[in-house]
Amino acid sequence: MKKILFAMPLFAMLLVACDPIVDEISPDPNVTPENLTFELVAKNQGNNNIQIVPTPSRYVKVYDATSDTKLAEGTAPSVQVAPPNKELQVYVTTINSDGSITKSASKSIAVTEYTDLPAIYADVFGTTPDGGYGTTTWTWNTEAEDGCWGNGGFLSNTGPGWWVIRSGEIDGQVTGAGLPDDGLNGWFSLSLSGVQTSRGESGSVKVSEDMVQSGWDVGTIEFSGTIPLLGIQPNQGNARQYVYRILKITEDELRLCAPEPGVTSGGGTAWFWNFKRK
């Protein structure tokens, strides 16, 4: 599969608007909250590509109604909702000619179909014959030259480099960490509907093309409710690790990395996971 290179805050990705750059202060008369309305227009029924059309027509800023995060702005801005979100709930604001700001009531729209998403979705979840997203299942990459798990330098290593745990040592490591079902026979599956693991846990997952260093990582994966095999921070009392940098994702291989807390620069301690398709 092709390599992919998600800045997707709150997993709603802003699309480039076609509007020219305009002064956001409306030359029109002041508008009241009751009169500032908008429509949410999906590409088709349930689609995740949604245009915000204000009435009356004027320059607006669009905010996520649950977090107050700005998603887009313009005279007819567009937002792309990324999985696993099932709804877009937003409000808009506008700056009146006298400098005052008017905020509208919020509206929501259900999302059931995801199209035009970044290539990383197809790489992580796989695809189905009808063009949708599928399920991928991963286990330890016992053939990896740099082992299955271990640590190394953040932003420099692309796999275990300092302390390297190979296939014959994994079962001992997972038992010591209190995760005996994460050994060589362990697995986890990824799909838009959730994560399943060999330890009997389930949860959800989000992916994006958000990178920390071009050429080193290709995206981000965030787990909720569960973790991948041996997804812990050993030097932090085996605390569970939920956010990972995707270093490599192909049809057969998945490499993840997570720096230790507080590590942001190259060379700091990070942990690495090498998985293969089951």
Side-chain angles (χ1 to χ4, degrees):
M1 302 180 79
K2 63 183 179 182
K3 289 187 177 180
I4 43 83
L5 291 178
F6 146 172
M8 203 176 293
L10 298 181
F11 301 91
M13 185 174 69
L14 172 63
L15 300 179
V16 177
C18 297
D19 301 320
I21 298 175
V22 297
D23 187 345
E24 65 181 56
I25 298 179
S26 174
D28 299 321
N30 291 358
V31 64
T32 65
E34 294 74 21
N35 291 331
L36 178 59
T37 62
F38 60 93
E39 295 298 323
L40 296 174
V41 181
K43 183 177 180 180
N44 50 55
Q45 182 67 34
N47 190 264
N48 62 311
N49 296 281
I50 300 166
Q51 188 172 43
I52 292 84
V53 182
T55 303
S57 178
R58 57 197 296 140
Y59 195 99
V60 296
K61 295 181 179 180
V62 183
Y63 292 86
D64 182 281
T66 59
S67 66
D68 293 323
T69 301
K70 189 175 79 171
L71 302 178
E73 61 181 286
T75 56
S78 297
V79 169
Q80 186 181 72
V81 180
N85 296 327
K86 302 294 186 183
E87 179 186 63
L88 177 68
Q89 184 176 9
V90 297
Y91 64 85
V92 303
T93 66
T94 189
I95 300 180
N96 295 305
S97 56
D98 64 0
S100 63
I101 297 176
T102 298
K103 174 183 174 181
S104 74
S106 65
K107 284 188 176 183
S108 64
I109 187 172
V111 176
T112 57
E113 177 192 3
Y114 301 94
T115 62
D116 302 327
L117 291 171
I120 196 169
Y121 282 88
D123 293 334
V124 171
F125 301 118
T127 56
T128 59
D130 63 0
Y133 296 105
T135 300
T136 56
T137 303
W138 305 92
T139 188
W140 293 110
N141 188 351
T142 54
E143 289 82 39
E145 293 184 359
D146 50 358
C148 299
W149 180 72
N151 61 18
F154 185 53
L155 303 181
S156 54
N157 284 95
T158 56
W162 301 342
W163 185 49
V164 179
I165 299 300
R166 303 191 181 277
S167 58
E169 304 167 293
I170 279 292
D171 284 348
Q173 292 296 320
V174 300
T175 299
L179 298 168
D181 294 320
D182 285 15
L184 283 183
N185 293 323
W187 55 268
F188 63 99
S189 65
L190 304 174
S191 70
L192 292 183
S193 60
V195 183
Q196 302 294 327
T197 69
S198 54
R199 75 180 77 91
E201 295 178 351
S202 60
S204 61
V205 66
K206 297 178 181 180
V207 297
S208 78
E209 290 183 328
D210 183 21
M211 297 181 293
V212 291
Q213 180 174 286
S214 179
W216 181 75
D217 63 332
V218 296
T220 302
I221 185 166
E222 180 178 354
F223 292 79
S224 178
T226 189
I227 51 175
L229 297 175
L230 200 54
I232 59 170
Q233 287 282 354
N235 294 331
Q236 308 298 319
N238 292 337
R240 291 192 164 206
Q241 178 68 34
Y242 293 98
V243 180
Y244 300 80
R245 298 297 171 182
I246 302 174
L247 303 187
K248 184 178 182 180
I249 175 66
T250 68
E251 187 174 355
D252 302 312
E253 187 177 3
L254 173 63
R255 285 179 172 247
L256 302 180
C257 172
E260 293 196 335
V263 172
T264 57
S265 59
T269 301
W271 292 85
F272 297 83
W273 292 256
N274 288 342
F275 301 118
K276 65 181 179 181
R277 188 77 68 95
K278 182 177 174 65

